[in-house]
Amino acid sequence: MDLKHIRNFSIIAHIDHGKSTLADRMLEITHTVEARKMRDQVLDSMELERERGITIKMQPVRMEYFYRGPTAVKEEKYILNLIDTPGHIDFSYEVSRALKAVEGSILLVDSTQGVQAQTLTTLNMAREGGLKIIPVLSKIDSPLSRVDEVKEEVIKLLNCDPDEVLMVSGKTGEGVEDLLKEVIKRVPEPREVVHDDDSLRALVFDFKYDNHRGVIVFVRILSGKVRKGDSLLFAVSKEKFTSLEVGTFSPEETPREFLSSGDTGYIVTGIKKPGIASVGDTITKFLHPLEALSGYMQPLPVVWASVFPEDADDFAELKLALGKLKLSDSAFSFEEEASGSLGRGFRCGFLGMLHLEIITERLRREFDLELIITTPSITYEVLFKSSASGTRAGKREKVYSPYFFPDDGDIETVFEPWVNVKIIAPAEYLGGIMQLLFDHEGEVGETGNFGDSRSEISVKMPLRELMRNFFDELKSVSSGYGSISYEIGELREASVTRLDILVADEVIPAFSKVVSKKRVEIEAEKAVEKLEQILPRQMFNLKIQGRALGRIISSRSMSGMKKDVTQHMYGGDITRKMKLREKQKKGKKKMKERGKVNIPQDVFLKMMRSGDN
Ligand SMILES: Nc1nc2c(ncn2[C@@H]2O[C@H](COP(=O)(O)OP(=O)(O)OP(=O)(O)O)[C@@H](O)[C@H]2O)c(=O)[nH]1
Ligand SMILES: [Mg+2]
């Protein structure tokens, strides 16, 4: 295919503005997906994406479209390589990577909602990449659509001509075919630097892992050609491999004879070791190595949580599972960690609470491991008193895990990251939002109008407070209309302390938490109450307590009960009953090893989730 007939573009937008639904219609118009395989948001193929109705991972797809250009004598075939991206802020690393693989981007704005915080963030990313931006209003079929008003917002935002703004409905398909034509007209064709086949340069913008075929890298070919059987080299990791297959996305992997300059596709590497393929690396021919292109910045995790196997024997299996997850999610990172009482485990870094939830859910579903997951936390920097015990005296250290957060007496100063937040919301909710910001220690900066009826608020607040369920609370005080974007800012001094939770007089390290000193009583009460509700009743009475600053500040007692695990099985299979009793025995053994109370895995998951408060 000559470059003139290739277009690479993405769709970017705030969450739920209709990207994947618009992509559905494009796939239909171009006959990319057979009618019988079509379903809503067909590009959202992960089970979790379908359940939650959101896109988590970017998804490339190759479409063919016949179009007669202004100077053409007949219709010609165009290859349209689309990358659908997620809109949730936790997954914006996906967006930034997708944008390096395209020349243009559809900026979709929901005409019932208007420009939102992530519209601005993704637009900035596209601008930084020098991409051609096509502004499009979505959901114009909806009775709630405010086309004129939102169009004005978009024109102001982009400083563009009114004619440049297109309109579509992903529901009815209106305007979608015109949009495809505009993509061909407005998005520049791919540039090619070198022509000969051996000067292969393929940018790795994503990858996934296949148990049989190893790592499959998603590439944008910037120059040269690649075939099955080629001997290739990762320019950065310097690892050699042979391509087992090359192909394009339709959207499932479809083998092709070769990929060449301008194409978006995949290469099957056969590599099964983790740590070799990384996003941002460049693939070249082994015999004609070229310099790597500029890659991607590794994103900095925002929240951390540690994961331990319930059974120490599962450690190796857990390590393997995390390695595999990392091979399908390059934003995820983990490191080995040992905590006296929880044994050996891993400290994991996430880009936000939703990212954390998705990864832990995948661990549970895809790998069938019994895990202990600690309360998520941001990182603090602690300056230890010179009188502090041990080797840390006088030092300044990062603390990732609440259970390693030192006792008050050892701390000289604690520093914590602040974030610069932007909120866009209808003006009538401003009062409620200001109260919420006050509750979350926000420092309100500039407040201005955004369009006719909305406000834009700049705020600085501790990252700790942003992670304390701020997103959900903002949604609820603004009836769902408030949107938010943020970036990590400076470090400031913090007034925080460690809150421990004790069950039957033993500290459960996974439940320890770093909280604002001002809120320590409320947080202790909340944690104890929640645990009382979700902890299964034991066979004996037990106390649940919250302890901080050297004293017990909250307490509950749970009465015990006698339990026969087989009592709910009427008659039935005696071997199954025996098995259950065996299991119970094993469970009891574990209880002894781990202390007096056996805490099931879902209790850790529930305690971890902020939304379940
Ligand atoms: N009325 C109407 N609803 C739409 C239209 N397009 C999408 N929706 C609805 O809007 C919701 C979000 O649609 P998606 O296509 O998943 O949005 P998205 O931008 O891909 O969402 P994320 O990928 O999670 O950011 C769904 O409930 C859709 O049914 C449209 O053109 N008209
Ligand atoms: Mg989507």
Side-chain angles (χ1 to χ4, degrees), residues 301-328:
V302 174
V303 262
W304 302 81
S306 299
V307 180
F308 297 89
E310 157 95 2
D311 187 335
D313 293 347
D314 288 341
F315 178 80
E317 214 177 313
L318 173 60
K319 186 170 182 173
L320 212 64
L322 292 171
K324 282 188 184 170
L325 270 182
K326 173 135 186 73
L327 285 173
S328 69

Side-chain angles (χ1 to χ4, degrees), residues 108 114 192 272 304 565:
L108 201 64
E192 187 177 38
K272 297 207 167 152
W304 302 81
V565 286

Side-chain angles (χ1 to χ4, degrees), residues 14-21 41 44 53-55 85-88 139 141-142 169-171:
H14 191 77
I15 189 164
D16 270 349
H17 278 203
K19 297 174 289 294
S20 304
T21 307
Q41 292 98 31
D44 291 342
I54 54 167
T55 304
T85 66
H88 191 281
K139 308 193 188 177
D141 64 280
S142 166
S169 161
K171 196 170 178 185

Side-chain angles (χ1 to χ4, degrees), residues 78-359:
Y78 282 81
I79 301 299
L80 305 178
N81 291 314
L82 158 72
I83 305 181
D84 182 26
T85 66
H88 191 281
I89 190 166
D90 282 15
F91 308 123
S92 54
Y93 187 51
E94 296 284 309
V95 185
S96 71
R97 296 198 328 270
L99 293 183
K100 275 219 175 182
V102 296
E103 278 77 35
S105 204
I106 293 175
L107 179 71
L108 201 64
V109 179
D110 185 336
S111 63
T112 69
Q113 302 264 335
V115 172
Q116 304 273 315
Q118 283 305 301
T119 319
L120 305 180
T121 311
T122 53
L123 171 64
N124 283 340
M125 286 192 228
R127 277 183 169 155
E128 275 165 24
L131 304 186
K132 175 71 198 175
I133 291 154
I134 306 181
V136 181
L137 304 191
S138 66
K139 308 193 188 177
I140 56 169
D141 64 280
S142 166
L144 300 172
S145 171
R146 297 175 288 117
V147 170
D148 296 335
E149 215 175 301
V150 176
K151 189 172 173 180
E152 273 308 310
E153 273 181 18
V154 171
I155 293 169
K156 259 199 211 145
L157 180 67
L158 294 175
N159 197 12
C160 67
D161 217 51
D163 297 345
E164 282 179 53
V165 184
L166 304 174
M167 288 184 217
V168 299
S169 161
K171 196 170 178 185
T172 65
E174 190 185 340
V176 180
E177 188 143 16
D178 286 339
L179 173 57
L180 282 178
K181 291 176 181 160
E182 290 299 320
V183 166
I184 294 173
K185 280 194 244 170
R186 297 193 207 175
V187 174
E189 61 186 65
R191 273 186 308 266
E192 187 177 38
V193 204
V194 210
H195 298 281
D196 84 88
D197 286 3
D198 275 336
S199 54
L200 173 71
R201 264 198 172 121
L203 172 72
V204 177
F205 62 87
D206 201 6
F207 46 57
K208 68 176 212 180
Y209 186 78
D210 178 290
N211 277 332
H212 303 294
R213 307 199 294 168
V215 175
I216 301 176
V217 288
F218 293 21
V219 289
R220 165 67 199 275
I221 313 286
L222 292 143
S223 63
K225 201 176 246 187
V226 58
R227 296 170 190 277
K228 175 177 171 174
D230 279 353
S231 182
L232 303 172
L233 180 76
F234 280 109
V236 176
S237 72
K238 300 283 178 235
E239 192 82 12
K240 184 189 167 192
F241 68 98
T242 304
S243 101
L244 301 180
E245 180 182 304
V246 304
T248 54
F249 303 98
S250 64
E252 63 281 352
E253 285 120 41
T254 310
R256 296 204 171 257
E257 202 191 319
F258 62 84
L259 295 175
S260 62
S261 189
D263 280 338
T264 301
Y266 67 90
I267 304 173
V268 178
T269 68
I271 295 171
K272 297 207 167 152
K273 268 192 293 183
I276 290 170
S278 62
V279 291
D281 205 339
T282 306
I283 293 174
T284 67
K285 293 268 165 87
F286 180 66
L287 294 174
H288 300 268
L290 296 171
E291 249 177 64
L293 303 154
S294 74
Y296 297 111
M297 294 260 289
Q298 181 63 30
L300 288 178
V302 174
V303 262
W304 302 81
S306 299
V307 180
F308 297 89
E310 157 95 2
D311 187 335
D313 293 347
D314 288 341
F315 178 80
E317 214 177 313
L318 173 60
K319 186 170 182 173
L320 212 64
L322 292 171
K324 282 188 184 170
L325 270 182
K326 173 135 186 73
L327 285 173
S328 69
D329 182 351
S330 51
F332 170 61
S333 62
F334 66 94
E335 231 171 89
E336 225 177 292
E337 176 185 76
S339 108
S341 48
L342 291 172
R344 283 165 83 202
F346 299 89
R347 177 166 82 214
C348 304
F350 308 90
L351 300 191
M353 291 303 289
L354 180 62
H355 188 214
L356 168 99
E357 219 183 279
I358 296 289
I359 288 277

